[in-house]
Amino acid sequence: MLTSKPFSRARRAMLTAALAVTVSAGLSIPSANAADPIKVAAIYTVPVEQQWVSRIDKALKAAQERGEITYTFSENVANTDYERVMREYAEQGMDLVVGEAFAVERAARKVAAEYPDTAFLMGSSFGPAQPNFGVFDNWIHEPSYLSGMIAGATTKSNVIGMVGGYAIPEVNRLMNAFMEGATAVNPDVKFLVTFINSWYDPPKAKEAAFAMIDKGADILYAERFGVSDAAKEKGILAIGNVIDTADDYPGTILSSALWHMEPTIDKAIELVASDSFEPADFGPYSFMSYGGGSFVVDESLAPADAVAAAKAKEQEILDGLFRVNVNDTEPKSTM
Protein backbone atom coordinates (compact mmCIF):
# COMPACT_ATOMS: atom_id res chain seq x y z
CA MET A 1 0.00 0.00 0.00
CA LEU A 2 1.41 3.37 -0.98
CA THR A 3 1.24 5.43 2.19
CA SER A 4 4.51 7.32 2.23
CA LYS A 5 3.40 10.34 0.23
CA PRO A 6 3.79 13.46 2.38
CA PHE A 7 0.33 14.62 1.42
CA SER A 8 -1.80 11.69 0.34
CA ARG A 9 -5.24 11.78 -1.22
CA ALA A 10 -6.71 10.25 1.90
CA ARG A 11 -5.30 13.14 3.93
CA ARG A 12 -6.69 15.60 1.39
CA ALA A 13 -10.13 14.09 1.90
CA MET A 14 -9.80 14.41 5.67
CA LEU A 15 -8.67 18.02 5.33
CA THR A 16 -11.60 18.79 3.07
CA ALA A 17 -14.02 17.47 5.69
CA ALA A 18 -12.31 19.54 8.36
CA LEU A 19 -12.45 22.62 6.20
CA ALA A 20 -16.14 22.10 5.60
CA VAL A 21 -16.74 22.19 9.35
CA THR A 22 -14.64 25.33 9.70
CA VAL A 23 -16.46 27.10 6.91
CA SER A 24 -19.80 26.18 8.44
CA ALA A 25 -18.62 27.94 11.59
CA GLY A 26 -18.29 31.15 9.63
CA LEU A 27 -14.54 31.22 9.01
CA SER A 28 -13.28 31.89 5.49
CA ILE A 29 -10.19 29.94 4.43
CA PRO A 30 -9.11 28.35 1.11
CA SER A 31 -10.75 25.02 0.38
CA ALA A 32 -9.05 21.82 -0.76
CA ASN A 33 -10.42 19.67 -3.52
CA ALA A 34 -10.52 15.97 -2.66
CA ALA A 35 -11.55 15.08 -6.21
CA ASP A 36 -8.49 16.44 -7.97
CA PRO A 37 -7.67 14.17 -10.92
CA ILE A 38 -4.70 11.90 -10.43
CA LYS A 39 -1.71 12.42 -12.70
CA VAL A 40 -1.11 9.54 -15.11
CA ALA A 41 1.66 9.05 -17.67
CA ALA A 42 2.09 6.21 -20.16
CA ILE A 43 5.22 5.01 -21.92
CA TYR A 44 4.88 3.16 -25.22
CA THR A 45 7.63 1.56 -27.28
CA VAL A 46 5.53 1.64 -30.46
CA PRO A 47 3.20 4.16 -32.14
CA VAL A 48 0.08 4.86 -30.12
CA GLU A 49 -2.09 3.53 -32.96
CA GLN A 50 -0.57 0.03 -32.66
CA GLN A 51 -3.22 -2.52 -31.59
CA TRP A 52 -2.09 -3.31 -28.06
CA VAL A 53 -1.09 0.23 -27.13
CA SER A 54 -4.19 1.78 -28.66
CA ARG A 55 -6.39 -0.11 -26.18
CA ILE A 56 -4.47 1.33 -23.23
CA ASP A 57 -4.57 4.80 -24.72
CA LYS A 58 -8.31 4.53 -25.33
CA ALA A 59 -9.02 3.54 -21.72
CA LEU A 60 -6.85 6.33 -20.32
CA LYS A 61 -8.45 8.94 -22.57
CA ALA A 62 -11.89 7.80 -21.42
CA ALA A 63 -10.83 8.29 -17.78
CA GLN A 64 -9.46 11.73 -18.63
CA GLU A 65 -12.72 12.72 -20.32
CA ARG A 66 -14.53 11.76 -17.10
CA GLY A 67 -12.24 14.12 -15.21
CA GLU A 68 -10.65 11.36 -13.14
CA ILE A 69 -7.11 11.78 -14.44
CA THR A 70 -4.76 14.01 -16.36
CA TYR A 71 -3.00 11.98 -19.03
CA THR A 72 0.22 12.36 -20.94
CA PHE A 73 2.23 9.79 -22.88
CA SER A 74 5.44 9.12 -24.76
CA GLU A 75 5.41 6.86 -27.83
CA ASN A 76 8.15 5.13 -29.86
CA VAL A 77 10.40 5.02 -26.78
CA ALA A 78 13.44 2.84 -27.47
CA ASN A 79 14.17 0.08 -24.98
CA THR A 80 17.51 1.73 -24.23
CA ASP A 81 15.66 4.94 -23.33
CA TYR A 82 12.85 3.41 -21.32
CA GLU A 83 14.52 3.69 -17.92
CA ARG A 84 15.22 7.40 -18.41
CA VAL A 85 11.62 8.17 -19.42
CA MET A 86 10.26 6.27 -16.42
CA ARG A 87 12.46 8.30 -14.11
CA GLU A 88 11.44 11.57 -15.72
CA TYR A 89 7.76 10.88 -15.20
CA ALA A 90 8.33 9.78 -11.60
CA GLU A 91 10.34 12.94 -10.94
CA GLN A 92 7.47 15.00 -12.36
CA GLY A 93 5.24 13.67 -9.59
CA MET A 94 3.05 11.31 -11.57
CA ASP A 95 0.68 9.31 -9.37
CA LEU A 96 0.51 6.41 -11.83
CA VAL A 97 2.82 5.36 -14.66
CA VAL A 98 1.51 2.82 -17.19
CA GLY A 99 3.62 1.01 -19.74
CA GLU A 100 5.12 -2.26 -20.91
CA ALA A 101 8.14 -4.00 -19.43
CA PHE A 102 8.39 -7.01 -21.73
CA ALA A 103 11.86 -6.11 -23.05
CA VAL A 104 13.01 -4.02 -20.09
CA GLU A 105 11.94 -6.03 -17.05
CA ARG A 106 15.01 -5.50 -14.88
CA ALA A 107 15.37 -1.82 -15.69
CA ALA A 108 11.66 -1.07 -15.17
CA ARG A 109 11.54 -2.86 -11.82
CA LYS A 110 14.71 -1.12 -10.69
CA VAL A 111 13.26 2.32 -11.46
CA ALA A 112 9.94 1.51 -9.76
CA ALA A 113 11.74 0.48 -6.56
CA GLU A 114 13.51 3.84 -6.51
CA TYR A 115 10.18 5.71 -6.53
CA PRO A 116 7.98 3.97 -3.93
CA ASP A 117 5.49 6.87 -3.89
CA THR A 118 4.60 6.34 -7.55
CA ALA A 119 2.31 3.50 -8.64
CA PHE A 120 3.51 1.57 -11.69
CA LEU A 121 1.22 -0.62 -13.81
CA MET A 122 3.22 -2.42 -16.45
CA GLY A 123 2.53 -5.04 -19.07
CA SER A 124 4.77 -7.92 -18.05
CA SER A 125 5.39 -11.62 -18.44
CA PHE A 126 6.26 -11.85 -14.75
CA GLY A 127 4.61 -11.13 -11.43
CA PRO A 128 4.08 -7.98 -9.36
CA ALA A 129 6.75 -6.70 -6.98
CA GLN A 130 6.74 -4.71 -3.77
CA PRO A 131 6.30 -1.94 -3.06
CA ASN A 132 4.53 -0.50 -6.11
CA PHE A 133 4.96 -2.59 -9.28
CA GLY A 134 1.64 -3.93 -10.58
CA VAL A 135 1.41 -5.98 -13.78
CA PHE A 136 -1.20 -6.67 -16.44
CA ASP A 137 -1.62 -8.39 -19.77
CA ASN A 138 -4.26 -8.76 -22.46
CA TRP A 139 -5.68 -12.12 -21.41
CA ILE A 140 -8.00 -12.52 -24.39
CA HIS A 141 -7.40 -16.23 -24.86
CA GLU A 142 -11.14 -16.82 -24.32
CA PRO A 143 -12.41 -14.78 -27.29
CA SER A 144 -9.41 -16.06 -29.27
CA TYR A 145 -10.74 -19.59 -28.80
CA LEU A 146 -14.16 -18.48 -30.02
CA SER A 147 -12.74 -16.80 -33.12
CA GLY A 148 -10.85 -20.05 -33.75
CA MET A 149 -14.14 -21.94 -33.70
CA ILE A 150 -15.47 -19.61 -36.38
CA ALA A 151 -12.34 -19.95 -38.52
CA GLY A 152 -12.24 -23.73 -38.23
CA ALA A 153 -15.85 -24.02 -39.34
CA THR A 154 -15.46 -21.53 -42.21
CA THR A 155 -12.21 -22.58 -43.92
CA LYS A 156 -12.59 -24.43 -47.21
CA SER A 157 -8.95 -25.35 -47.77
CA ASN A 158 -8.43 -26.46 -44.16
CA VAL A 159 -5.29 -24.31 -44.09
CA ILE A 160 -5.09 -21.28 -41.79
CA GLY A 161 -2.12 -18.93 -41.77
CA MET A 162 -1.02 -17.24 -38.53
CA VAL A 163 1.34 -14.26 -38.34
CA GLY A 164 2.55 -13.12 -34.92
CA GLY A 165 4.94 -10.51 -33.58
CA TYR A 166 7.20 -12.28 -31.08
CA ALA A 167 6.86 -15.80 -29.69
CA ILE A 168 6.36 -14.62 -26.10
CA PRO A 169 3.77 -16.03 -23.67
CA GLU A 170 1.35 -13.13 -24.22
CA VAL A 171 1.18 -13.88 -27.95
CA ASN A 172 1.59 -17.64 -27.76
CA ARG A 173 -1.41 -18.17 -25.49
CA LEU A 174 -3.72 -16.31 -27.86
CA MET A 175 -2.53 -18.22 -30.91
CA ASN A 176 -2.71 -21.57 -29.11
CA ALA A 177 -6.24 -20.81 -27.90
CA PHE A 178 -7.26 -19.89 -31.45
CA MET A 179 -5.81 -23.15 -32.78
CA GLU A 180 -7.60 -25.18 -30.11
CA GLY A 181 -10.89 -23.51 -30.97
CA ALA A 182 -10.42 -24.23 -34.65
CA THR A 183 -9.49 -27.90 -34.19
CA ALA A 184 -12.34 -28.40 -31.72
CA VAL A 185 -14.81 -27.92 -34.56
CA ASN A 186 -12.61 -29.10 -37.44
CA PRO A 187 -9.94 -31.73 -36.61
CA ASP A 188 -8.68 -31.60 -40.21
CA VAL A 189 -7.52 -27.98 -40.13
CA LYS A 190 -3.78 -27.29 -40.46
CA PHE A 191 -1.80 -24.20 -39.51
CA LEU A 192 1.09 -22.21 -40.92
CA VAL A 193 2.76 -20.17 -38.16
CA THR A 194 5.28 -17.34 -38.60
CA PHE A 195 6.68 -14.73 -36.21
CA ILE A 196 8.07 -11.54 -37.72
CA ASN A 197 10.08 -10.59 -34.59
CA SER A 198 8.66 -7.08 -34.52
CA TRP A 199 5.73 -5.40 -32.81
CA TYR A 200 5.16 -3.02 -35.67
CA ASP A 201 6.28 -3.88 -39.19
CA PRO A 202 3.19 -4.06 -41.43
CA PRO A 203 5.17 -4.66 -44.66
CA LYS A 204 6.99 -7.64 -43.14
CA ALA A 205 3.74 -9.07 -41.76
CA LYS A 206 2.07 -8.62 -45.12
CA GLU A 207 4.90 -10.41 -46.88
CA ALA A 208 4.64 -13.36 -44.47
CA ALA A 209 0.89 -13.50 -45.06
CA PHE A 210 1.32 -13.59 -48.85
CA ALA A 211 3.65 -16.59 -48.46
CA MET A 212 0.96 -18.41 -46.49
CA ILE A 213 -1.69 -17.67 -49.08
CA ASP A 214 0.62 -19.15 -51.71
CA LYS A 215 0.66 -22.35 -49.63
CA GLY A 216 -3.11 -22.64 -49.58
CA ALA A 217 -4.28 -20.61 -46.57
CA ASP A 218 -7.77 -19.21 -47.10
CA ILE A 219 -8.03 -17.59 -43.64
CA LEU A 220 -5.32 -15.54 -41.92
CA TYR A 221 -4.92 -14.89 -38.21
CA ALA A 222 -3.84 -11.25 -38.04
CA GLU A 223 -1.98 -10.87 -34.76
CA ARG A 224 -0.04 -7.98 -36.37
CA PHE A 225 -0.93 -5.09 -38.66
CA GLY A 226 -0.34 -5.83 -42.33
CA VAL A 227 -1.88 -9.31 -42.40
CA SER A 228 -5.42 -8.11 -43.08
CA ASP A 229 -4.10 -6.00 -45.96
CA ALA A 230 -2.77 -9.16 -47.58
CA ALA A 231 -6.09 -10.94 -47.02
CA LYS A 232 -8.01 -8.05 -48.56
CA GLU A 233 -5.76 -7.91 -51.62
CA LYS A 234 -6.09 -11.65 -52.23
CA GLY A 235 -9.81 -11.82 -51.52
CA ILE A 236 -9.63 -14.17 -48.52
CA LEU A 237 -10.72 -13.80 -44.89
CA ALA A 238 -8.84 -12.64 -41.79
CA ILE A 239 -9.23 -12.98 -38.05
CA GLY A 240 -8.73 -9.79 -36.07
CA ASN A 241 -6.87 -9.48 -32.78
CA VAL A 242 -7.17 -6.93 -29.95
CA ILE A 243 -9.04 -4.27 -31.97
CA ASP A 244 -12.02 -4.39 -34.32
CA THR A 245 -10.86 -3.47 -37.83
CA ALA A 246 -13.97 -4.68 -39.63
CA ASP A 247 -14.86 -1.16 -40.80
CA ASP A 248 -11.40 -0.79 -42.34
CA TYR A 249 -11.61 -4.15 -44.12
CA PRO A 250 -15.27 -4.70 -45.02
CA GLY A 251 -15.94 -8.23 -46.18
CA THR A 252 -12.53 -9.39 -44.98
CA ILE A 253 -12.64 -9.61 -41.17
CA LEU A 254 -14.46 -12.82 -40.35
CA SER A 255 -14.19 -12.62 -36.56
CA SER A 256 -12.11 -10.87 -33.91
CA ALA A 257 -10.99 -11.33 -30.32
CA LEU A 258 -11.15 -7.89 -28.74
CA TRP A 259 -9.34 -6.47 -25.74
CA HIS A 260 -10.93 -3.83 -23.51
CA MET A 261 -8.41 -2.21 -21.18
CA GLU A 262 -11.01 -0.15 -19.33
CA PRO A 263 -11.62 -2.61 -16.45
CA THR A 264 -7.88 -2.78 -15.74
CA ILE A 265 -7.25 0.95 -15.99
CA ASP A 266 -10.36 1.89 -14.05
CA LYS A 267 -9.44 -0.44 -11.19
CA ALA A 268 -5.91 0.93 -11.00
CA ILE A 269 -7.19 4.52 -10.99
CA GLU A 270 -9.68 3.70 -8.25
CA LEU A 271 -6.94 2.22 -6.06
CA VAL A 272 -4.47 5.04 -6.64
CA ALA A 273 -7.12 7.69 -5.97
CA SER A 274 -7.96 6.06 -2.63
CA ASP A 275 -4.30 5.56 -1.65
CA SER A 276 -4.83 1.80 -1.64
CA PHE A 277 -2.80 0.75 -4.68
CA GLU A 278 -0.79 -2.39 -4.03
CA PRO A 279 1.38 -4.43 -6.38
CA ALA A 280 -0.88 -7.08 -7.84
CA ASP A 281 -1.56 -8.98 -11.03
CA PHE A 282 -4.31 -7.05 -12.81
CA GLY A 283 -4.39 -9.59 -15.64
CA PRO A 284 -7.77 -11.15 -14.70
CA TYR A 285 -9.49 -7.83 -15.47
CA SER A 286 -8.92 -8.71 -19.14
CA PHE A 287 -11.06 -11.83 -18.81
CA MET A 288 -14.48 -11.88 -20.45
CA SER A 289 -16.22 -12.11 -17.07
CA TYR A 290 -14.84 -8.65 -16.18
CA GLY A 291 -15.67 -7.19 -19.58
CA GLY A 292 -11.98 -7.07 -20.48
CA GLY A 293 -12.39 -9.26 -23.55
CA SER A 294 -15.11 -9.88 -26.10
CA PHE A 295 -15.79 -11.77 -29.29
CA VAL A 296 -17.33 -10.47 -32.50
CA VAL A 297 -18.19 -12.22 -35.76
CA ASP A 298 -19.46 -11.08 -39.14
CA GLU A 299 -22.46 -13.35 -39.44
CA SER A 300 -22.70 -12.67 -43.17
CA LEU A 301 -19.33 -14.40 -43.69
CA ALA A 302 -19.65 -17.38 -41.32
CA PRO A 303 -21.92 -20.46 -41.39
CA ALA A 304 -24.99 -19.92 -39.21
CA ASP A 305 -24.41 -23.12 -37.24
CA ALA A 306 -20.82 -22.06 -36.52
CA VAL A 307 -22.00 -18.72 -35.18
CA ALA A 308 -24.58 -20.43 -32.98
CA ALA A 309 -21.99 -22.88 -31.62
CA ALA A 310 -19.50 -20.10 -30.84
CA LYS A 311 -22.11 -17.99 -29.08
CA ALA A 312 -23.22 -20.97 -27.02
CA LYS A 313 -19.61 -21.56 -25.99
CA GLU A 314 -19.25 -17.86 -25.20
CA GLN A 315 -22.15 -18.14 -22.75
CA GLU A 316 -20.55 -21.19 -21.14
CA ILE A 317 -17.38 -19.15 -20.58
CA LEU A 318 -19.35 -16.28 -19.05
CA ASP A 319 -21.26 -18.72 -16.84
CA GLY A 320 -18.03 -20.29 -15.64
CA LEU A 321 -18.87 -23.63 -17.22
CA PHE A 322 -16.01 -23.74 -19.75
CA ARG A 323 -12.39 -22.80 -19.23
CA VAL A 324 -10.08 -22.09 -22.18
CA ASN A 325 -6.65 -23.63 -21.76
CA VAL A 326 -3.72 -21.29 -21.15
CA ASN A 327 -0.83 -22.58 -23.23
CA ASP A 328 2.21 -20.29 -23.31
CA THR A 329 4.42 -22.55 -25.42
CA GLU A 330 5.43 -21.37 -28.86
CA PRO A 331 2.89 -22.55 -31.47
CA LYS A 332 4.28 -24.43 -34.45
CA SER A 333 3.14 -25.02 -38.00
CA THR A 334 1.30 -28.30 -38.45
CA MET A 335 1.97 -28.75 -42.15
Side-chain angles (χ1 to χ4, degrees):
M1 182 173 177
L2 303 181
T3 57
S4 59
K5 291 187 179 180
F7 196 62
S8 70
R9 293 180 178 278
R11 289 180 61 194
R12 277 198 201 100
M14 292 171 64
L15 177 59
T16 300
L19 288 172
V21 173
T22 304
V23 170
S24 68
L27 299 177
S28 177
I29 61 176
S31 63
N33 182 6
D36 286 343
I38 68 171
K39 295 188 291 184
V40 180
I43 312 171
Y44 307 128
T45 60
V46 295
V48 74
E49 63 265 26
Q50 186 257 15
Q51 299 111 300
W52 197 83
V53 161
S54 71
R55 300 301 85 189
I56 305 171
D57 179 68
K58 179 176 180 287
L60 288 169
K61 284 179 177 175
Q64 180 171 247
E65 289 174 2
R66 296 193 301 268
E68 297 173 4
I69 69 172
T70 61
Y71 168 49
T72 186
F73 67 87
S74 297
E75 59 183 328
N76 291 315
V77 176
N79 291 337
T80 54
D81 218 21
Y82 209 90
E83 188 174 349
R84 176 188 64 79
V85 178
M86 285 183 70
R87 279 199 173 88
E88 287 183 354
Y89 278 135
E91 291 288 347
Q92 291 171 21
M94 294 296 166
D95 297 299
L96 173 65
V97 176
V98 181
E100 68 236 56
F102 297 112
V104 290
E105 287 285 352
R106 292 185 183 277
R109 290 165 186 267
K110 175 185 175 184
V111 173
E114 294 173 4
Y115 295 92
D117 295 340
T118 302
F120 290 86
L121 179 64
M122 309 295 283
S124 173
S125 302
F126 300 96
Q130 293 289 343
N132 57 342
F133 195 91
V135 297
F136 70 91
D137 188 19
N138 63 329
W139 287 82
I140 55 170
H141 55 299
E142 296 164 326
S144 294
Y145 181 96
L146 299 174
S147 66
M149 290 179 64
I150 295 294
T154 305
T155 178
K156 300 294 193 298
S157 68
N158 282 338
V159 179
I160 296 175
M162 306 184 70
V163 180
Y166 289 94
I168 64 171
E170 291 72 21
V171 175
N172 296 346
R173 72 174 66 109
L174 306 187
M175 296 176 77
N176 283 320
F178 172 87
M179 295 166 78
E180 286 192 24
T183 54
V185 299
N186 182 357
D188 296 325
V189 69
K190 302 297 182 183
F191 302 95
L192 296 166
V193 180
T194 295
F195 292 94
I196 63 171
N197 294 319
S198 172
W199 290 132
Y200 193 76
D201 192 341
K204 189 173 183 180
K206 187 176 181 180
E207 181 182 350
F210 279 144
M212 293 175 173
I213 296 171
D214 290 341
K215 293 181 180 179
D218 64 349
I219 295 178
L220 297 173
Y221 177 87
E223 201 270 328
R224 293 291 102 194
F225 276 158
V227 177
S228 296
D229 295 283
K232 181 180 178 180
E233 286 188 23
K234 295 296 185 179
I236 66 170
L237 300 174
I239 300 294
N241 182 59
V242 176
I243 63 175
D244 189 352
T245 58
D247 289 342
D248 297 323
Y249 302 95
T252 297
I253 304 300
L254 171 64
S255 180
S256 296
L258 306 182
W259 184 33
H260 309 290
M261 186 61 173
E262 286 80 0
T264 303
I265 289 294
D266 292 350
K267 185 63 177 180
I269 290 171
E270 172 193 333
L271 294 174
V272 172
S274 62
D275 285 313
S276 56
F277 183 89
E278 292 191 15
D281 183 354
F282 288 74
Y285 289 101
S286 289
F287 283 27
M288 292 180 71
S289 60
Y290 282 95
S294 67
F295 151 76
V296 293
V297 57
D298 186 335
E299 297 188 23
S300 69
L301 300 175
D305 57 345
V307 173
K311 289 187 174 181
K313 188 64 67 178
E314 176 186 30
Q315 191 59 52
E316 287 184 33
I317 292 172
L318 293 173
D319 290 341
L321 298 175
F322 182 78
R323 179 174 295 177
V324 177
N325 290 328
V326 175
N327 181 356
D328 290 344
T329 61
E330 180 177 344
K332 302 291 185 179
S333 297
T334 56
M335 63 174 291

